[in-house]
Amino acid sequence: DVKVTQSSRYLVKRTGEKVFLECVQDMDHENMFWYRQDPGLGLRLIYFSYDVKMKEKGDIPEGYSVSREKKERFSLILESASTNQTSMYLCASSSPAGGRANEKLFFGSGTQLSVL
Amino acid sequence: AQSVTQPDIHITVSEGASLELRCNYSYGATPYLFWYVQSPGQGLQLLLKYFSGDTLVQGIKGFEAEFKRSQSSFNLRKPSVHWSDAAEYFCAVRAGNMLTFGGGTRLMVKP
């Protein structure tokens, strides 16, 4: 089974801190995604990457950056955390191999970030 | 731009009763549609997907969904709900590389 591992389940940071959220997948997937999940808003895409060193903005990239130096690892960076970035962050990966119809997203368990 | 609306934020059903969760989408082309489930403390798991062909799709855990183009809907159904189905359910539509999710419906199951 595909495993998508997020380094922390819970994280508490202070306003202005630089925050790193790490995600690792073990299935050699090309595509990786970062979403944030807020009650009533569902999941909103922050950034995605379809290859090493490649990144694309999602719907809400402001205040975030990403890094993908290795295929299996996709990091989300909050340069200066703010209270409105308190949220659940979900990482996902997928592979386009086999065609779009067979592509499936695999999600990590999430990181609940609280910014005080 | 594509969008997904799940009109019901919370739904409560009795165990053994039937279930229908509503999903409406907005997308200019033929949609790729998905339902995901998130159990407490878990990541999201794919229940089923529609790409083309038969408009009634079967998924895991006894769920099914029907694509109705005329109504821009992709409602999720289950004939008999089990207590373990209590979770949050998300409908999603794909456009290119991006998957756009609805706001979610939290399902509670009464004994």
Side-chain angles (χ1 to χ4, degrees):
Chain A
D1 247 4
V2 175
K3 200 161 186 189
V4 179
T5 304
Q6 293 182 232
S7 52
S8 304
R9 184 72 181 93
Y10 298 97
L11 213 51
V12 180
K13 296 292 181 182
R14 296 204 177 277
T15 303
E17 277 192 79
K18 189 169 186 175
V19 181
F20 291 86
L21 301 183
E22 304 287 346
C23 175
V24 177
Q25 49 94 3
D26 66 358
M27 278 301 288
D28 203 36
H29 283 171
E30 290 82 359
N31 300 333
M32 296 189 75
F33 307 81
W34 274 107
Y35 288 88
R36 66 176 279 176
Q37 181 180 5
D38 300 287
L41 297 178
L43 279 74
R44 292 177 292 166
L45 183 64
I46 305 171
Y47 268 96
F48 67 98
S49 167
Y50 50 86
D51 203 351
V52 175
K53 297 192 186 295
M54 305 298 285
K55 61 185 179 185
E56 293 278 348
K57 292 180 180 179
D59 296 320
I60 51 164
E62 297 79 18
Y64 303 95
S65 62
V66 290
S67 171
R68 189 147 181 221
E69 296 296 318
K70 294 185 177 182
K71 193 174 185 180
E72 67 270 18
R73 188 179 295 270
F74 192 36
S75 303
L76 180 69
I77 303 155
L78 288 65
E79 294 290 342
S80 178
S82 63
T83 54
N84 63 12
Q85 292 178 309
T86 291
S87 186
M88 171 69 81
Y89 290 87
L90 291 170
C91 175
S93 72
S94 73
S95 173
R100 183 61 61 82
N102 291 316
E103 189 173 351
K104 179 179 168 181
L105 277 181
F106 293 87
F107 283 86
S109 297
T111 296
Q112 179 63 51
L113 173 67
S114 297
V115 183
L116 307 178
Chain B
Q2 70 278 7
S3 66
V4 179
T5 302
Q6 293 180 246
D8 305 305
I9 298 174
H10 293 100
I11 281 187
T12 300
V13 300
S14 297
E15 193 168 14
S18 63
L19 171 70
E20 183 168 30
L21 302 183
R22 296 184 290 163
C23 170
N24 293 99
Y25 68 91
S26 172
Y27 184 54
T30 300
Y32 290 171
L33 296 161
F34 305 79
W35 274 99
Y36 281 83
V37 61
Q38 185 180 36
S39 299
Q42 306 285 319
L44 273 76
Q45 181 183 22
L46 180 66
L47 279 177
L48 48 77
K49 61 186 178 185
Y50 170 79
F51 278 18
S52 65
D54 194 347
T55 57
L56 184 64
V57 292
Q58 303 296 321
I60 62 171
K61 305 186 181 192
F63 285 92
E64 66 178 26
E66 186 170 13
F67 169 58
K68 293 186 178 180
R69 185 186 299 275
S70 61
Q71 298 176 21
S72 297
S73 70
F74 188 54
N75 293 350
L76 182 71
R77 300 194 294 246
K78 187 169 184 178
S80 177
V81 168
H82 187 263
W83 64 266
S84 61
D85 293 324
E88 190 154 21
Y89 293 80
F90 294 93
C91 181
V93 63
R94 158 174 273 148
N97 283 324
M98 290 176 52
L99 201 57
T100 297
F101 287 83
T105 298
R106 183 167 296 281
L107 172 66
M108 288 172 279
V109 180
K110 291 190 300 186

